[in-house]
Amino acid sequence: MKFPIAEIRKCFPALHERDTVFFDNAAGAQVPRQVLDAVMQHLLLRNVQRGGPYRQSREVDETIARARKSVAAFVNARNPDEICFGMNATSFIRLVSQAIGQIMRRGGRKEIIVTDLDHDSNIATWLALRPDGAKIVWWRMRKDGRLHAEDLDALLSRKTRLVACTLASNCMGSTLDAAEVSKRAHAVGAEVFVDGVHYSPHGPIDVQALGCDYLVCSGYKAFAPHMGFLWGRKEALDVLPTFREDFIPDSAPFKFEVGTYVYENVAGMDAAVDYLEGLGTGRTRRARLVDAMISIRDYEASLSVELLKALNAIEGVTVYGISDPALVRLRTPTVSFNVEGIPSRRVAESLAGANIAIRDGNMYTPRLMKRLKQTDTARVSLVHYNTVEEIQRFAEALRRVRNGHAK
């Protein structure tokens, strides 16, 4: 079936505000109307604390329980209690890393493998464990802009405690075969921590198929409000030491949800999963979600082809990572680039003047920038509500920026 892009765009109010082209989705996607409605209804009708005997409080409990089931279906968790809600992915990475640091201080495995492709939140949090005795081992990206699982063979050993990696680069869009990473890491008794933040709006996530031990996502990258969630194997989460008040059970998910998080945003995350489910077909909720995310992945592959062709056709543009349109299955439609002789900030500002929203900077990947021999780049990041026509508009505007500089 043809991807229903026209109907999809109608669901997102922001897409019709001043004719803006949103090509900065890796920093946060827009939200569909039903997500806005869910947040508003929560604040209007049940803006109370959970755990009370009255109706509105019970409704908050029900909202959170329903959202756990929704997110569990989204990532194919075995049990909704494997889903923990909080402020953002970074805070959950730090929470898990601190717990693992406490365990390491007792002895045992000390080596943690990190990559130079990841968002710094999935690097710095692990580097912070060096005072606890952690030894950091670097898994380097190859010149093709990708991590290759077979390169782990020379790094893994019986000393390895954990491998921290990403499903997709938030800077260059390169994807990773995390299932193969888990297979190799588990063979030596190590755990795997996966950053699923950037990949989450682009394709299906199946934590059981990935075989990882922990995974984090940020709802606001996947059409929900600002919030984050942690998935972990129940048996792995339950043994992690955490700070908690005495009245909080020492088991997942509650031990990782210390304090009051933003309930209305969790309601929005529940609605975002509902939105995605509505794009698919199938007998079960999980089947509908998988069908929807596969359709999104396939449609976005066509966007990636057009985007790469457009950038490759502009003189003076350098694309980092996978630039061959024939290899789009190895990336998301997220592309970092520079224009010869023009600072990335000037490129972004010039496009902003044409109502085209892109990002510039180090993309929170300073180590990757060193590998690219750059201090910063410009970045375009598309999702399933973007169109070929928007790519053409972006390319025309970028060409004018380039030609204006050349004069």
Side-chain angles (χ1 to χ4, degrees), residues 334-349:
T334 299
V335 180
S336 281
F337 67 95
N338 272 327
V339 182
E340 183 180 5
I342 309 179
S344 61
R345 171 48 59 101
R346 190 186 306 171
V347 171
E349 289 176 341

Side-chain angles (χ1 to χ4, degrees), residues 89-91 93-94 118-126 195 197 364:
T90 300
S91 60
I93 301 174
R94 183 57 177 150
D118 275 66
H119 190 291
D120 207 51
S121 63
N122 202 27
I123 300 173
T125 45
W126 305 106
D195 177 352
V197 172
Y364 310 100

